[in-house]
Amino acid sequence: MIELYTAGTPNGKKASIMLEELGIPYTVHPIDFSKLEQKEEWYLKINPNGRIPAIIDKDNGDFPVFESGAILIYLAEKYGKFLPKDPKERSIAIQWLMFQMGGVGPMQGQANHFTKYAPEKIPYAINRYVDETKRLYSVLERRLRESEYLAGSELSIADIATWPWVKARSYIDLSLDDYPKLKAWEEKLGARPAFIKGSEVPKKS
């Protein structure tokens, strides 16, 4: 049994979509940001960084895993799905996972912050991060012109990590009209039952 600590953010949805795709039982523990639960001492013992998501693998000695990319790799290796075994193909999947972790997520996250939440509208910051997000989307577009999925011909943890962020592009009013392959990929994955169900975790009260 997997214990999932999460909230309704793109990073949180990575873990729940992965768990739904694997079809394994898991229990959801919603983390309330308004109460700063992610900074409480009990949670910092699970995730020292005080962020979501995090999991505890009850079947592996209550083993905790934090950081969304690390969670995806851990689950993929444990259950033998969504991460190729061939060393080169595995490396490609991890490369695209790291592209999301180091690029799409942080840059789009900053674009979201400066566009929607910053107390002062700073045009330079907004333009910098929105333009960088667009550049990263162009990299995804180019990749998907030559490959059905980010890591090749099959769904991988790279797709599971990237899709929630592309889905959340509305926060910065970013259209996919200039990225037709990315748009088709986003729609195709968004129609998968596990992506639909995983995106609804945690349930809104």
Side-chain angles (χ1 to χ4, degrees):
M1 173 68 75
I2 298 293
E3 303 281 339
L4 171 63
Y5 298 82
T6 191
T9 69
N11 283 336
K13 291 175 183 180
K14 296 177 193 176
S16 51
I17 289 171
M18 180 65 168
L19 290 164
E20 290 292 338
E21 282 286 351
L22 290 170
I24 59 175
Y26 67 101
T27 300
V28 178
H29 301 278
I31 296 297
D32 190 337
F33 290 160
S34 68
K35 297 179 181 178
L36 293 179
E37 287 183 338
Q38 75 276 18
K39 304 300 183 183
E40 293 180 5
E41 190 60 32
W42 68 268
Y43 186 71
L44 293 175
K45 292 178 181 178
I46 301 170
N47 183 350
N49 195 31
R51 302 290 181 92
I52 62 93
I55 65 170
I56 293 177
D57 188 347
K58 305 296 287 187
D59 298 325
N60 191 17
D62 289 346
F63 182 65
V65 185
F66 70 95
E67 289 296 327
S68 58
I71 291 170
L72 295 180
I73 293 171
Y74 177 82
L75 293 172
E77 290 181 335
K78 177 172 181 174
Y79 293 98
K81 296 186 69 176
F82 306 120
L83 185 59
K85 290 183 170 51
D86 176 82
K88 290 182 179 179
E89 293 178 359
R90 175 188 171 87
S91 176
I92 291 170
I94 292 178
Q95 288 173 55
W96 284 104
L97 172 66
M98 294 301 110
F99 176 80
Q100 187 285 311
M101 297 292 298
V104 176
M107 295 300 101
Q108 190 172 329
Q110 291 297 327
N112 179 30
H113 173 78
F114 283 105
T115 300
K116 297 291 186 182
Y117 300 108
E120 177 186 354
K121 294 297 182 185
I122 305 173
Y124 173 80
I126 294 171
N127 293 335
R128 172 181 171 80
Y129 289 114
V130 170
D131 287 347
E132 178 62 5
T133 299
K134 291 178 179 178
R135 187 192 72 81
L136 294 167
Y137 276 31
S138 71
V139 175
L140 293 171
E141 173 71 14
R142 187 163 57 249
R143 172 58 175 168
L144 291 168
R145 288 175 189 164
E146 62 187 23
S147 179
E148 183 177 1
Y149 298 99
L150 291 177
S153 61
E154 296 183 0
L155 181 74
S156 77
I157 56 175
D159 303 287
I160 293 171
T162 306
W163 183 86
W165 280 98
V166 176
K167 185 69 174 177
R169 68 192 180 279
S170 60
Y171 284 101
I172 55 172
D173 300 320
L174 180 56
S175 168
L176 292 184
D177 289 346
D178 292 334
Y179 314 97
K181 291 295 186 181
L182 182 60
K183 182 177 182 180
W185 170 90
E186 187 260 347
E187 291 175 348
K188 177 173 62 177
L189 295 189
R192 293 174 70 97
F195 276 67
I196 295 170
K197 190 172 181 181
S199 294
E200 296 172 349
V201 175
K203 296 287 186 182
K204 294 181 180 179
S205 57

